[in-house]
Every structure is written in C-alpha cells, then in structure tokens.
Amino acid sequence: MIQVNQLGKKYGQTTVLQDVSFQLPQGQFLGLLGVNGAGKSTLIKILAGLTPPSQGSVGWANKIRFDKAAVSYMPEMDHFYTHWLAKDAFSFHADFFAMNKQRFLDALDFLNVPLHKQFSQLSKGNRTRMRLAIALAREAQLFLFDEPLSGIDPFARQEILRALAVEFRCEDASYILATHQILEAEALFDRVLVLKSGKTLLEGQAETIRLQWGNSILEAIRSAAKE
Amino acid sequence: MTDFDTNKPIYQQIAEDILKKAVRGEILPGDRIPSAREYASQKLVNPNTVVRAFQDLEREGLVVVKRGLGNYLTTDTTRLEDARFQLAQKTLIQCAKDLRELGYTTKQIQQLLSQQLEVMK
Amino acid sequence: MSYFFRLWLHEAKRGASSLTLAVLGSVVCFGLFSRLGKTPEEQMLVPLILVLLLPVVWGVVGSYLSFSSEYNNKRDLLLRSLPCHAFYLVLAKFMWTATCSMILLFLIPIFAPVFYDSKMTKWLQLSSGWITYGVCWSFFSSLGMAAAILGRSSGKYVTLTSGAIILGLSVVWFLLATPAAGIETLGAWTLPMPIFIGVGVTPITFPIFSTGMLIGLLIVSSLVLERQDA
C-alpha cells in the first residue's frame, strides 16, 4: 500500500501541487489524469524520488523503505543515450537495478522493438517501446509511467496499454499511469486521481466514480470540473 | 476498451459477456473459458476487474474454478438455463420500460412486439 | 560503494573516445601553436591565448546544446533515477576526471619532446603542475555537475547559487595558485583545460565555467606578465 499525505510542491513562488492525498493498495492500478500542466509529472517525479516535496509525505504502509530501487520510473522524455541498442540499455540498468531478463526479452518481442538499431535511429513509437520494455523488466514494487501514450498512434497506444496493464503486469506491484488519453485507458484503472491546476479534482475507486457520476471517467471529470 | 457501456459497472458487463457467449453456444458446458489475464488482454480491461467478474460468476455457480487448471463453464445445464432466463427477463423489463416511457399501453406493447416478430421472421 | 564503481565505469566507457580525441587534439594543437612563438615565453603565451578562446567557443556551443536539444535534461533524468544519491554521481564524475588527469600526466611528456628541445626533467616538473591542476579541475567540474543535478532536484535558485559559488572558487583558485607557479607552469596548466571542460562539465554549467576561467586567466596572466616586466 502506498500512502501519500497532503503532498505539496512549490517552485519558487509557483505552486505546482497542493494538498494531494491518496492511497494505492498493492496490486492496483492508478490512473493519474488531468490536462497538461495539471501537476501529473511533478507528482510522478516526487514518487520516483527525483524531486523532494515541499510539503507532505510519501510512504509505503507495509514499511518497505521507499527508495528508488523499488520504483520503476518511465519519464515522458526519450531519456536514453542515443547510441544504445536494446541490450545496452538493459546492461546499464542491470548494473543498478534488479532486472528480469526474460520479461525484458518477452516485452521486446511483444512490442516488436528492433534489436539491432540504435536508440536514435528508432521511430518515436519504438523509442517509447524500448523504454517501456526496460521499465517493465524492473523488479519493482511501484511502476510509474509518465505519458507513455503521448505522440503515439492509436493502434500502438492499445499495444502499449496492453503490455503495461495486462501482459507484463506483476500481481504484487502497484502501477501509476499518467495520461490524458482517458477514454482509451479508463477500463484499466482500479483507482483514479484527477488533478486540476495542482489540486485534487476527483479521487477514488474508478468504478465508484463511474457510477457516482453515472458515466465514463471522462464524463465524470467534465462534470466535476464544471461544479 | 471502446465497446463497453459507460453506464454499467465494467465487471457486470464482463460477467454478462461470458454468460451471453454461453447462452449462444459459443462456449459449451464444461468448456474452458479464458483466464482473467487472457480476457483482460483481449478486451483491454483491468485484470482485477475481470477477476471480480469471474468471482461473481463462480458464486452464481456458472463458472467452476479449478485451481491451477483454469476456469470452466459449469456442466450444470439447469443453472445455465436459469441464467439465460434471467437475461431474457432483464432484456424484456428494459424493453417494456422504454416503451412505457414512450407512452404505449400494455396492449399496444403486446401488438408492437408480435408485429415486430412477424417482420423479423 | 559498488554503485560508485559502476558509475565510474559507465562514465569511463562513455568518455573514453572523447578523451582520446581531446588528448590528441590538444597535444597537436599545442605543439603546432607553440611553434609560432620565438622566445620560450612566447611559445607558452601563444597557445595560452588560443586555448583561452576554446572555452568561450565551447561555452557558446554547450549552452546552445543544453537549451536547444534537451539532451542534457534527458541525461540528467536517467542518472537521477538511479538508486544512489547525487553525491555518488558527483564523486564518480570527479574520479573520472581525476583519472583523465592521470592519463594526461603520463601521455603528454611522451609527446612533448617531439615539439620541444627541452629536457624531460622540465616536463616532469610541469607534470606535477598538471596533476594539481587536474585534481583541482576535477573538483570544480564535479561541483558543476552537483550544481546541475541538485539544482534540477531543488530548483533554479540552487543552480544559480552553486554556480556562483563555483565561479568564485575557480577565480580564487586561479588567483592564489597560478602566480606562485610561474609562467611556464601556467602555460602547461592551461593546456589540458579544454579537455577537462570537455569531459567534466555538463552543458548547463559551461557558460558559468568558461566565464570564470576566462576572467581568472586574464587576471593571472596580467599578474604574471607584470611580475616578469618588473
């Protein structure tokens, strides 16, 4: 169980996150939703241990120390070295993290990533796929995906969602997917957290929110934003 | 997931989907049904939601979970028949409700239904 | 500690080719340019002035890269997501640049007699200057990296503050250390400078460093020249 309490983040005078709290039980999938600039990336970076929060706390309820080794983080940017082949990316990460080689190879195969092309020579979609395969191959307790669907064509989006939410899902790990492709992904969430200008707009069980607002998550967000 | 109804809980829709397949004979009594993961991958839904739907089906005695082997449709045909009847009832209730909302009387509804059945013959 | 060695190895693998190029380039450039001078002082000063221009050029290129391509930002993301404290990154970077200075220490004297009629002893004397230089420069460039990494984690004010501290420290270092060493050592110390800038500093701190180096060197060379005139 991941427990986030009253998290806040300020850069100078600008407030990016304010009073964000949520829980994510083990094995569940959280959809982190909101428009660009809502604070999704900042929240993910705090959870990944890249940025310290200005307020509040992040912790595991089952007392496993919250450190970077337990978190697999896939940033929005193509953050790999441009000369890397898939195997280079793997060996680099294997130097620092516990990795599952079989899962990596299966993910590359499932996602059809070319093995003998350098990272810079891959298409945008394949660069995302290679980074995803690395992120999924980590033996982690928490998986964080920051906008893995942005700039990807609809068919490939489904494939990426299928890989991260079903095919290579570890049952005892928790998952957070930040996206603004809500309609495509909403059936995958156990819980959702919707941010608007750094504040919580909606938070809770996905099914409860759908029923409460009598519609899809997307419609629920629209209705909640109007209120 | 685009072929799901946004007004109903997803787990309920999954259970109904399996049931309809059984009623239509796409899955035969005693047949193996997909695992939660296979089903989730196929429909791009949360595996946890599928597990919940399968648990509901198991509780109703429509699916038998054999640990380590997979999920199987029950061989108990009376249960399947019951489930089929329940589905039919649900559909009829919804249909009748909708027609009432349009202002039709019971007699008119009966007429409309038999006329439609004639057309569809 | 094992993370530290892995990082060091990673830095070494990544930097090996650029280091080789930089070493060869600097040796050749220094040798060629030094032929332009007639007296020993001129032989040292001409390359000194040319080498002075390099950091400025690299400063411009580096800042262009860091702001136009996002490359630096991406690389930081990769390194910062590693399960070790920024301190280890800095330390690994420091050790790597220190290693480079050791390599130079052994390489340059081998090439030197090709360009100079000087005796080996003089070059060994200069080499002791390099090792000081290398380690000090490693220290400053590591600070530069620390500023970049910690700055990204904590905001632009930290980056600016640590940048300013580094700038101050490097100026102070030049003011204190170089005049004591004399003109020959100054020339020798300046030689590997572009190499260290190349391997040691992230693009975001390029402009800060280059400016610091330029100001420091200008002050120092004027001091040294003044002393020589007197």
Side-chain angles (χ1 to χ4, degrees):
Chain A
M1 166 97 89
I2 290 144
Q3 183 94 39
V4 170
N5 293 319
Q6 293 171 322
L7 216 58
K9 180 72 184 174
K10 274 185 180 180
Y11 288 113
Q13 295 298 308
T14 322
T15 304
V16 191
L17 276 184
Q18 200 182 330
D19 205 15
V20 174
S21 301
F22 68 92
Q23 289 182 347
L24 181 59
Q26 198 179 17
Q28 294 210 351
F29 201 111
L30 175 88
L32 178 54
L33 313 172
V35 294
N36 287 333
K40 303 193 296 284
S41 279
T42 305
L43 178 57
I44 288 227
K45 276 185 187 158
I46 292 172
L47 294 173
L50 263 69
T51 304
S54 313
Q55 277 166 343
S57 65
V58 178
W60 303 93
N62 57 1
K63 301 226 174 94
I64 302 169
R65 209 161 65 88
F66 196 96
D67 64 17
K68 291 178 185 171
V71 180
S72 176
Y73 162 57
M74 179 179 165
E76 186 179 1
M77 269 185 249
D78 286 330
H79 67 306
F80 283 0
Y81 286 107
T82 48
H83 64 272
W84 271 355
L85 301 175
K87 66 177 167 65
D88 301 323
F90 184 85
S91 64
F92 176 87
H93 284 85
D95 270 349
F96 296 97
F97 300 105
M99 303 284 285
N100 185 327
K101 184 143 199 186
Q102 196 52 51
R103 197 155 68 223
F104 177 63
L105 295 174
D106 291 346
L108 287 179
D109 187 48
F110 181 85
L111 295 162
N112 287 314
V113 182
L115 298 176
H116 302 291
K117 271 195 177 175
Q118 292 190 346
F119 189 64
S120 58
Q121 292 169 339
L122 295 173
S123 65
K124 162 85 181 150
N126 277 333
R127 286 202 295 271
T128 302
R129 288 186 183 93
M130 198 212 272
R131 296 190 305 117
L132 180 66
I134 288 286
L136 292 172
R138 291 272 314 278
E139 299 285 13
Q141 256 118 35
L142 174 62
F143 289 82
L144 303 168
F145 305 99
D146 193 358
E147 297 283 2
L149 306 176
S150 71
I152 306 285
D153 65 82
F155 178 73
R157 284 206 292 267
Q158 292 216 338
E159 196 189 13
I160 285 168
L161 284 175
R162 191 165 281 132
L164 68 84
V166 186
E167 291 293 334
F168 299 97
R169 178 118 168 236
C170 304
E171 274 171 25
D172 46 5
S174 305
Y175 290 76
I176 297 181
L177 168 69
T179 184
H180 48 256
Q181 309 281 352
I182 300 167
L183 204 57
E184 267 166 285
E186 71 165 85
L188 297 168
F189 305 140
D190 290 291
R191 301 184 71 87
V192 288
L193 170 63
V194 186
L195 294 179
K196 194 190 175 193
S197 316
K199 290 180 195 160
T200 309
L201 183 68
L202 284 173
E203 195 273 317
Q205 295 269 356
E207 206 66 90
T208 316
I209 289 176
R210 292 173 89 247
L211 290 184
Q212 192 183 336
W213 297 84
N215 229 315
S216 65
I217 300 282
L218 187 62
E219 286 302 323
I221 294 171
R222 281 188 191 138
S223 316
K226 271 182 215 150
E227 280 186 3
Chain B
M1 128 36 228
T2 37
D3 51 346
F4 276 85
D5 183 350
T6 48
N7 290 310
K8 251 189 231 174
I10 296 172
Y11 67 90
Q12 208 174 310
Q13 295 179 55
I14 293 169
E16 278 175 18
D17 179 52
I18 297 283
L19 205 57
K20 278 180 190 162
K21 278 184 180 152
V23 165
R24 283 199 296 258
E26 286 171 36
I27 316 171
L28 297 173
D31 268 5
R32 188 177 167 274
I33 62 168
S35 70
R37 192 174 275 241
E38 282 163 359
Y39 189 90
S41 180
Q42 214 179 323
K43 298 272 176 176
L44 208 50
V45 288
N46 192 332
N48 292 338
T49 316
V50 184
V51 168
R52 185 173 171 187
F54 284 11
Q55 278 168 352
D56 284 358
L57 288 171
E58 192 188 359
R59 204 175 306 119
E60 288 162 31
L62 294 163
V63 162
V64 181
V65 177
K66 295 183 186 166
R67 305 278 161 222
L69 286 173
N71 308 323
Y72 293 84
L73 194 65
T74 180
T75 45
D76 187 344
T77 42
T78 35
R79 273 195 194 278
L80 284 171
E81 199 47 51
D82 277 356
R84 184 182 171 198
F85 181 68
Q86 274 171 20
L87 266 185
Q89 255 184 331
K90 248 191 211 169
T91 315
L92 282 172
I93 289 167
Q94 190 58 45
C95 175
K97 254 191 199 167
D98 288 352
L99 289 171
R100 282 254 161 79
E101 263 176 37
L102 291 174
Y104 288 101
T105 62
T106 309
K107 204 157 190 193
Q108 282 171 321
I109 291 173
Q110 278 170 346
Q111 265 176 356
L112 274 174
L113 212 58
S114 44
Q115 269 170 18
Q116 188 60 35
L117 286 171
E118 275 301 310
V119 172
M120 286 166 76
K121 239 179 196 174
Chain C
M1 219 37 196
S2 65
Y3 278 140
F4 160 70
F5 283 115
R6 289 173 203 171
L7 273 170
W8 181 86
L9 203 66
H10 166 69
E11 283 293 326
K13 271 195 274 185
R14 208 182 58 79
S17 54
S18 59
L19 174 74
T20 316
L21 276 178
V23 167
L24 290 177
S26 290
V27 168
V28 170
C29 285
F30 191 57
L32 288 177
F33 290 146
S34 66
R35 303 242 151 160
L36 297 172
K38 289 189 183 74
T39 63
E41 284 79 14
E42 279 173 4
Q43 283 183 344
M44 288 297 181
L45 275 175
V46 172
L48 171 71
I49 290 160
L50 287 169
V51 164
L52 262 178
L53 292 174
L54 275 176
V56 181
V57 174
W58 272 355
V60 174
V61 175
S63 50
Y64 171 76
L65 282 178
S66 74
F67 292 114
S68 69
S69 74
E70 280 196 332
Y71 174 79
N72 195 39
N73 199 0
K74 290 175 186 174
R75 211 182 134 237
D76 269 9
L77 265 183
L78 180 70
L79 294 178
R80 277 161 56 207
S81 61
L82 298 180
C84 44
H85 197 268
F87 173 74
Y88 283 113
L89 296 174
V90 175
L91 198 63
K93 199 79 187 171
F94 169 70
M95 286 307 289
W96 165 236
T97 35
T99 316
C100 290
S101 70
M102 300 297 268
I103 295 169
L104 285 172
L105 179 71
F106 289 106
L107 270 183
I108 308 274
I110 297 169
F111 284 103
V114 181
F115 305 114
Y116 288 98
D117 303 326
S118 321
K119 285 174 189 150
M120 275 301 260
T121 47
K122 191 182 174 193
W123 279 96
L124 286 177
Q125 188 195 339
L126 291 181
S127 298
S128 65
W130 281 341
I131 197 165
T132 324
Y133 178 91
V135 173
C136 289
W137 182 251
S138 304
F139 175 67
F140 290 126
S141 61
S142 307
L143 281 179
M145 181 150 173
I149 290 173
L150 300 175
R152 287 255 163 61
S153 308
S154 339
K156 64 181 175 193
Y157 296 106
V158 178
T159 316
L160 288 176
T161 314
S162 36
I165 293 170
I166 295 161
L167 177 72
L169 279 175
S170 47
V171 171
V172 166
W173 179 64
F174 270 103
L175 285 176
L176 291 178
T178 320
I183 181 82
E184 291 89 352
T185 329
L186 172 69
W189 282 14
T190 322
L191 166 64
M193 188 172 75
I195 304 169
F196 287 117
I197 291 180
V199 296
V201 189
T202 54
I204 194 91
T205 42
F206 254 145
I208 301 172
F209 267 101
S210 311
T211 321
M213 297 296 270
L214 189 63
I215 295 169
L217 280 170
L218 282 174
I219 295 170
V220 167
S221 43
S222 68
L223 281 176
V224 172
L225 289 175
E226 236 170 66
R227 200 173 58 175
Q228 280 201 329
D229 290 344

